[in-house]
Amino acid sequence: MRLIVGSSSYPPQRIFCIGKNYAEHIKEMKGETPKSPIVFMKPPTSLVPDGESITFPKHGKILHHEVEIVILIGKDGRAESQEEAKSFMGGLSIGLDLTLRDIQEELSRKGLPWELSKSFDKSAAVGDFIPFKDDIDLGDIPFSCEVNGTIRQQGNSKDMIFPIKTLIVELSKVWELRTGDLIYTGTPSGVSGLKIGDKVEIKSPLIGRFYWEISE
Ligand code: ZN
């Protein structure tokens, strides 16, 4: 797939995902607040565009939705300051970091990597992007997730432990960023299980609304 940004489109590159970036979600998972961002990755082949179905993976039982603000990187290089970080913002969307929670808990218990629980096919649902503009307040983006018409998650970027520009600077210390990289910026509280046939809608007044159905 290509990432749609206004009237242009980009091939997706790497997908960086941030774990434990909202205090209330850390509480519900009984986790600890990290001192630096927790980063894991999904392959670009795991992306599912708006309107397609999300296949329930066969190797786990508890599939959680995690609604997140998604950043599209719009230029190559490293952001060395918060001010510079803004110039790397190519677009903004929202998406779902789909997670097999039973598998993740088992892997975490054994001290093993998270890929089987986080990086399977169709694990990264993403909406269309709005182009980033200077007057967008990155510190106040509301967003939510509904399942079958019932609100399950409500969040706002103001509650992030590591805000968007900080994430861009922190990732730049390890990776040279590329046009088409995505950053899933972490999920607020309210994560819960999905079943086959469920309809998931995510929305943000700034960005739009997007929709997926869980299929067999
Ligand atoms: Zn997540």
Side-chain angles (χ1 to χ4, degrees):
M1 72 170 276
R2 288 177 73 87
L3 307 165
I4 312 289
V5 193
S7 56
S8 352
S9 73
Y10 294 71
Q13 300 295 326
R14 296 160 301 180
I15 305 173
F16 300 103
C17 301
I18 307 302
K20 300 185 182 175
N21 204 18
Y22 288 85
E24 290 300 312
H25 174 60
I26 295 171
K27 241 187 254 175
E28 75 180 345
M29 301 310 299
K30 300 183 172 59
E32 280 173 29
T33 305
K35 293 197 170 54
S36 55
I38 293 175
V39 183
F40 57 96
M41 293 171 88
K42 298 182 188 243
T45 46
S46 59
L47 287 166
V48 200
D50 175 37
E52 281 195 8
S53 59
I54 293 167
T55 318
F56 199 108
K58 296 206 176 357
H59 63 290
K61 289 193 175 69
I62 303 172
L63 180 65
H64 274 184
H65 52 81
E66 293 192 355
V67 66
E68 312 198 354
I69 293 171
V70 184
I71 306 303
L72 168 69
I73 297 297
K75 76 173 189 188
D76 297 355
R78 294 181 196 264
E80 277 166 22
S81 66
Q82 299 266 322
E83 198 39 49
E84 237 180 65
K86 254 166 92 169
S87 69
F88 283 80
M89 296 278 312
L92 269 174
S93 188
I94 44 178
L96 292 167
D97 163 17
L98 291 147
T99 303
L100 278 171
R101 198 67 71 194
D102 51 334
I103 303 295
Q104 187 191 29
E105 279 168 6
E106 190 187 326
L107 294 168
S108 296
R109 218 173 26 243
K110 294 179 178 166
L112 295 172
W114 282 359
E115 274 84 347
L116 291 173
S117 64
K118 286 279 197 183
S119 312
F120 48 88
D121 286 350
K122 316 260 184 193
S123 60
V126 70
D128 294 347
F129 288 79
I130 56 161
F132 179 68
K133 291 201 184 68
D134 248 355
D135 60 352
I136 293 176
D137 181 0
L138 290 174
D140 184 17
I141 305 170
F143 60 103
S144 62
C145 173
E146 288 180 17
V147 179
N148 304 326
T150 304
I151 293 211
R152 299 261 188 102
Q153 288 187 274
Q154 275 181 301
N156 188 305
S157 59
K158 71 173 156 47
D159 298 319
M160 287 180 178
I161 295 168
F162 302 104
I164 290 170
K165 285 187 276 180
T166 304
L167 292 175
I168 293 174
V169 172
E170 288 299 310
L171 289 171
S172 292
K173 291 178 182 170
V174 182
W175 292 274
E176 186 176 329
L177 300 177
R178 302 237 177 121
T179 305
D181 282 345
L182 299 179
I183 308 171
Y184 280 64
T185 55
T187 199
S189 60
V191 298
S192 66
L194 294 165
K195 43 186 202 317
I196 290 163
D198 278 351
K199 295 167 175 43
V200 188
E201 189 180 355
I202 62 175
K203 54 189 162 187
S204 165
L206 176 72
I207 297 163
R209 51 167 67 202
F210 310 102
Y211 174 90
W212 294 270
E213 191 168 330
I214 310 299
S215 71
E216 212 166 323

